[in-house]
Amino acid sequence: MKTYSMNQLERYPIYLKYFKELRDEGVEVVSSPRIAAKLGYSEEQVRKDLQNVSLEPGRPKKGRSVAQLIEDLETFLGYREQTVAVVLGVGHLGSALLNFPAFSEMGLSLQAGFDTDPAKIGTNVGGKPVYPMSRLGEVMQEIGASIAILTVPSALAQEAAVLATLGGAKAIWNFAPAQLEMPEGIIVENVNLASSLAVLTHRMSLAKDKGNR
Amino acid sequence: MKTYSMNQLERYPIYLKYFKELRDEGVEVVSSPRIAAKLGYSEEQVRKDLQNVSLEPGRPKKGRSVAQLIEDLETFLGYREQTVAVVLGVGHLGSALLNFPAFSEMGLSLQAGFDTDPAKIGTNVGGKPVYPMSRLGEVMQEIGASIAILTVPSALAQEAAVLATLGGAKAIWNFAPAQLEMPEGIIVENVNLASSLAVLTHRMSLAKDKGNR
């Protein structure tokens, strides 16, 4: 089985988005140099990335079929199947995710939210029902959810994640700023805004130092 | 000047969060092995990461002062100064960010939102006023904003980012799934949920293959 670096996996949705733009503009064939120039990657990297997901070899000087690339990437990324997911914690961020229309294009079918706040339970957010946290396991099994999206406060994150695995979650997409300790075999993918901001701030301070020199 | 890898920068807020938890539990001194075990990093990496931001050397067998580590990390991460930021696009995600209380602890002072929707202009979101996009440059200069947080639809992202730099933005924190082309010297940090999801999905498919073997 091929292996993929995390950076490489992160690039694939960016390629896909660009190829869809090309398709919408009526472009049928695209070359590695053109992709590299547009996305700011090296030509070498583009060739390697695309070879890793595409069955069709690129034709030198001619380029690759945009439609084929889209199909290969969508298949590779799992966008052509739907995985059922639930959102734990229907606060501002949880509501934003439940309202995010693009997830279904990415193969993610968000079907329910869960919260402990009686004012939220029984409402609809983004067209999805909000259930009490106490019904998590039962509802997850009923709808066959395998991904739990965690947007609870960090102090509640560990407990909510454990409840989700008891309900059948195979993966936790964790937006809470907490380090989760999960049993082996449960996948945790963190989205840490503080980490992203740390990189931004540090690059700003480097730029400032450079300007002052 | 010391250099820091992106992965290293991303770890610092995670260290800081843990040290604050230790402080709140009354722990005054912490050793690298304990930190490594808790956060799942190697001891070697913990030592290297902390040496890079702390003036005080760790004392072998004794460990480091938790209070000093917190001070060093907060200073390094810029959490002890406030940088003024604005949010472009007050949809679900923009509203969630304007309502996120932890940003001020991270040195980010969110002071205004901007949108083109007349129904949103003039309202308050998370206690911050929402202005029309046409007033972006003027308001940014008035409040001294140097960071623009981009939560507009991807088709509008490039234009909004350009307007923000005209208003004085030195950095764009980009939540729109779009590749921005910015003049040299403008920092762009992307938060790409599709990329994070791609990593999650791929790790799930690997785990499934392993389970089937």
Side-chain angles (χ1 to χ4, degrees):
Chain A
M1 186 157 199
K2 279 175 193 162
T3 57
Y4 301 87
S5 76
M6 217 173 82
N7 288 336
Q8 195 175 33
L9 289 168
E10 289 179 349
R11 283 193 293 274
Y12 286 131
I14 297 166
Y15 284 113
L16 177 59
K17 189 164 182 306
Y18 173 49
F19 298 148
K20 284 183 173 172
E21 284 167 14
L22 288 177
R23 179 191 60 193
D24 296 346
E25 290 164 15
V27 177
E28 291 180 6
V29 171
V30 65
S31 68
S32 296
R34 180 170 174 182
I35 301 167
K38 172 69 183 181
L39 300 182
Y41 309 146
S42 74
E43 289 180 32
E44 173 66 24
Q45 187 162 71
V46 169
R47 264 189 291 270
K48 216 169 134 186
D49 286 348
L50 297 184
Q51 265 163 23
N52 256 354
V53 288
S54 184
L55 297 174
E56 185 215 29
R59 285 154 298 172
K61 313 278 176 206
K62 283 211 67 176
R64 287 167 176 276
S65 152
V66 171
Q68 186 65 50
L69 283 168
I70 290 172
E71 190 184 320
D72 291 340
L73 279 170
E74 285 189 341
T75 303
F76 174 77
L77 289 167
Y79 286 10
R80 298 193 163 207
E81 297 159 40
Q82 291 285 315
T83 306
V84 177
V86 294
V87 173
L88 276 55
V90 188
H92 294 291
L93 181 58
S95 299
L97 296 178
L98 282 167
N99 274 292
F100 195 48
F103 281 138
S104 66
E105 290 165 33
M106 298 177 199
L108 202 62
S109 171
L110 264 61
Q111 297 197 356
F114 294 86
D115 208 290
T116 53
D117 180 354
K120 287 174 186 160
I121 294 163
T123 64
N124 269 264
V125 176
K128 288 96 180 183
V130 178
Y131 297 102
M133 204 62 110
S134 57
R135 290 190 57 200
L136 183 66
E138 169 208 340
V139 175
M140 280 187 73
Q141 278 167 12
E142 200 177 296
I143 62 178
S146 57
I147 297 180
I149 303 178
L150 216 60
T151 52
V152 296
S154 65
L156 307 177
Q158 177 67 31
E159 193 192 337
V162 170
L163 289 176
T165 59
L166 295 177
K170 302 277 176 271
I172 311 283
W173 200 13
N174 178 31
F175 288 75
Q179 294 292 306
L180 303 178
E181 288 167 27
M182 287 285 108
E184 222 192 297
I186 303 294
I187 288 153
V188 177
E189 184 65 27
N190 297 303
V191 178
N192 191 326
L193 293 188
S195 291
S196 173
L197 184 62
V199 175
L200 179 81
T201 307
H202 182 70
R203 290 174 61 202
M204 282 181 86
S205 71
L206 284 185
K208 208 186 275 174
D209 285 349
K210 208 173 157 189
N212 290 343
R213 250 187 286 149
Chain B
M1 185 159 201
K2 278 174 193 163
T3 57
Y4 302 85
S5 75
M6 218 174 81
N7 288 336
Q8 196 173 33
L9 289 168
E10 289 179 348
R11 284 193 293 274
Y12 286 131
I14 297 166
Y15 285 113
L16 177 59
K17 189 161 183 308
Y18 173 50
F19 298 149
K20 285 183 173 173
E21 285 167 14
L22 288 177
R23 180 191 61 193
D24 296 346
E25 291 163 14
V27 177
E28 291 181 5
V29 171
V30 65
S31 68
S32 296
R34 180 170 173 181
I35 302 167
K38 172 71 184 180
L39 300 181
Y41 308 147
S42 74
E43 289 181 32
E44 173 66 24
Q45 187 163 69
V46 169
R47 264 189 290 272
K48 216 169 133 185
D49 285 348
L50 297 184
Q51 265 162 23
N52 255 356
V53 288
S54 183
L55 297 174
E56 186 214 27
R59 285 154 299 171
K61 313 277 175 205
K62 283 212 65 177
R64 290 167 175 276
S65 151
V66 171
Q68 186 66 48
L69 282 167
I70 291 173
E71 190 183 321
D72 291 341
L73 279 169
E74 286 189 341
T75 303
F76 174 78
L77 289 168
Y79 286 9
R80 299 193 162 208
E81 298 159 38
Q82 291 285 317
T83 306
V84 177
V86 294
V87 173
L88 276 55
V90 189
H92 294 291
L93 181 58
S95 299
L97 296 178
L98 283 167
N99 273 292
F100 194 47
F103 281 138
S104 67
E105 292 165 31
M106 298 177 198
L108 202 62
S109 172
L110 265 59
Q111 297 196 355
F114 294 85
D115 210 291
T116 53
D117 180 354
K120 288 174 187 162
I121 294 162
T123 63
N124 268 263
V125 175
K128 288 95 180 183
V130 179
Y131 297 103
M133 204 62 111
S134 57
R135 289 190 58 200
L136 182 67
E138 171 208 339
V139 175
M140 281 188 74
Q141 278 167 13
E142 201 177 295
I143 61 179
S146 57
I147 297 180
I149 303 177
L150 217 59
T151 52
V152 296
S154 65
L156 306 177
Q158 177 67 28
E159 193 191 338
V162 170
L163 289 175
T165 59
L166 295 176
K170 301 278 176 270
I172 311 284
W173 200 12
N174 178 31
F175 288 75
Q179 295 292 305
L180 303 177
E181 289 168 24
M182 287 286 108
E184 221 192 300
I186 303 295
I187 288 153
V188 177
E189 184 65 26
N190 297 305
V191 178
N192 191 326
L193 293 188
S195 292
S196 173
L197 183 62
V199 175
L200 179 82
T201 307
H202 182 69
R203 290 175 60 203
M204 283 180 85
S205 72
L206 284 185
K208 207 185 280 173
D209 285 349
K210 208 174 155 189
N212 289 345
R213 250 188 287 149

